[in-house]
Amino acid sequence: MTAERQMPSQDDVLGYFDTLSNWGRWGDDDERGTLNHITDDVRLAAARAVRHGRSVSCAWEVAAPADMERSTTTCPCAAEMPGAEHMPPHFHGDRSWGFSSERLGLTFHGNTLTHVDSPCHLFWDGTMYNGRSHSLVDVERGSAWAAVTAAADGIITRGVLLDVAGARDVPWLEPGQGVFPDDLDEAERRQGVRVLPGDAVLLRTGHGRFRHEAGAAGGFAQTGWHASCLPWLQERQVALIGADSPQDVQPSGYEAVLMPVHAVGLVAMGLWLLDNCDLEACATTAAELGQWDFQLAVAPVRFAGTSGSPVNPIATF
């Protein structure tokens, strides 16, 4: 298959900013991009994909203190906490209850934590999705356009897991190995499933298995979607893509476009991205049940003006 692939040139990929553009498709004021593919009928169909009642997480655990700054407060007796003297008198009578609480800080973008990217995450030539200027992102207040709050009602749709590592009969794809449209077609054929309009496509490269066995890998090279998959995703009217890697194969193969799936996807298509999923439990469950589609629920935190959110995607079979 590799020898027969017609690889898009760099000019072709740069042309995707125009040929795959969804600017104006859902109106000049649209901030939701490809989430518009998720209609009421699509959500109803996603509910019908629940045939066994089993749910699994598609996220990595966020480790403390490795992945986040964490400050924990414990108070065995709340009546003795600082400031308790200013509480109403009846507060001091209950000597039994105590509490713990946390203050957390984390940077969720990157190659480790499971998170969703909203369209304002990337600019191209100073422009965001639907032709808005990067100046709408303020360093103090965040983005006034296409922030994660555009998905405040959640992303509930049918998910389809395409196990490309399984289709290639390898434990995982090596860093620098890309996934191509014929890989997607072959995974569909082997699994007996087809991606439909409004679906979320989760790509298993086996990188999650590698992380479980060897730990997170450093360096710039990584496996993931090749830019040639973008027309396939547009033709299928995919609402959301995820991967067990940071999405883009690296190196991308295009000197002028470092991350074409991120750049074309977010800026031109308004395609929402789920980076760094852990798809091993999902793949094991799908193989056990013989079912590669499921209801996928992604609920971003409603952080005002942010370019994404840490998430815990749940697949229910």
Side-chain angles (χ1 to χ4, degrees):
M1 295 288 276
T2 303
E4 300 173 1
R5 289 186 182 123
Q6 296 297 314
M7 302 292 290
S9 67
Q10 180 165 279
D11 286 342
D12 292 332
V13 174
L14 290 171
Y16 289 165
F17 284 100
D18 295 320
T19 60
L20 302 182
S21 175
N22 285 323
W23 291 10
R25 179 173 183 171
W26 296 286
D28 292 338
D29 293 329
D30 174 61
E31 302 178 58
R32 288 172 49 80
T34 54
L35 297 187
N36 286 287
H37 290 311
I38 305 175
T39 64
D40 292 347
D41 288 341
V42 167
R43 279 185 284 267
L44 287 170
R48 291 191 290 271
V50 179
R51 301 190 280 276
H52 299 273
R54 190 182 306 182
S55 64
V56 296
S57 168
C58 298
W60 290 93
E61 183 172 288
V62 183
D67 297 325
M68 64 178 172
E69 299 174 4
R70 178 187 180 109
S71 175
T72 299
T73 299
T74 63
C75 187
C77 180
E80 297 175 358
M81 70 181 182
E85 65 273 14
H86 303 299
M87 299 298 288
H90 66 268
F91 178 86
H92 301 274
D94 187 343
R95 308 291 298 180
S96 297
W97 72 278
F99 66 87
S100 65
S101 65
E102 294 80 27
R103 180 180 178 88
L104 308 176
L106 72 164
T107 300
F108 53 84
H109 288 301
N111 297 352
T112 306
L113 302 186
T114 307
H115 65 274
V116 64
D117 290 343
S118 68
C120 73
H121 178 45
L122 247 66
F123 317 139
W124 188 259
D125 287 336
T127 305
M128 294 185 286
Y129 170 67
N130 230 355
R132 294 311 198 272
S133 170
H134 72 94
S135 63
L136 289 174
V137 181
D138 182 86
V139 294
E140 293 182 356
R141 291 169 291 184
S143 182
W145 182 256
V148 74
T149 45
D153 293 330
I155 304 171
I156 311 295
T157 191
R158 190 179 81 127
V160 176
L161 178 66
L162 295 182
D163 186 358
V164 170
R168 291 193 188 181
D169 197 25
V170 295
W172 53 72
L173 276 61
E174 297 295 336
Q177 290 185 320
V179 172
F180 299 88
D182 58 78
D183 289 310
L184 308 179
D185 293 336
E186 177 63 11
E188 282 187 318
R189 187 193 67 79
R190 286 172 57 107
Q191 297 170 196
V193 69
R194 182 172 176 83
V195 173
L196 301 174
D199 283 352
V201 179
L202 303 185
L203 174 67
R204 180 179 179 268
T205 68
H207 182 63
R209 176 177 173 181
F210 178 87
R211 282 183 62 175
H212 279 290
E213 296 185 8
F220 181 72
Q222 63 193 35
T223 185
W225 304 90
H226 187 268
S228 58
C229 292
L230 289 164
W232 190 98
L233 296 168
Q234 178 80 325
E235 180 182 351
R236 296 295 187 92
Q237 299 181 54
V238 170
L240 170 77
I241 62 170
D244 55 7
S245 73
Q247 306 285 6
D248 285 84
V249 62
Q250 293 292 345
S252 70
Y254 302 100
E255 184 177 349
V257 198
L258 175 67
M259 298 186 297
V261 173
H262 268 75
V264 175
L266 290 167
V267 177
M269 299 168 64
L271 177 64
W272 293 61
L273 309 179
L274 273 175
D275 295 353
N276 312 316
C277 295
D278 181 1
L279 299 176
E280 294 308 291
C282 188
T284 299
T285 302
E288 176 188 342
L289 300 176
Q291 177 185 333
W292 295 90
D293 67 334
F294 39 84
Q295 183 187 64
L296 183 70
V298 182
V301 180
R302 296 178 69 172
F303 290 132
T306 62
S307 56
S309 167
V311 289
N312 180 19
I314 303 295
T316 303
F317 292 83

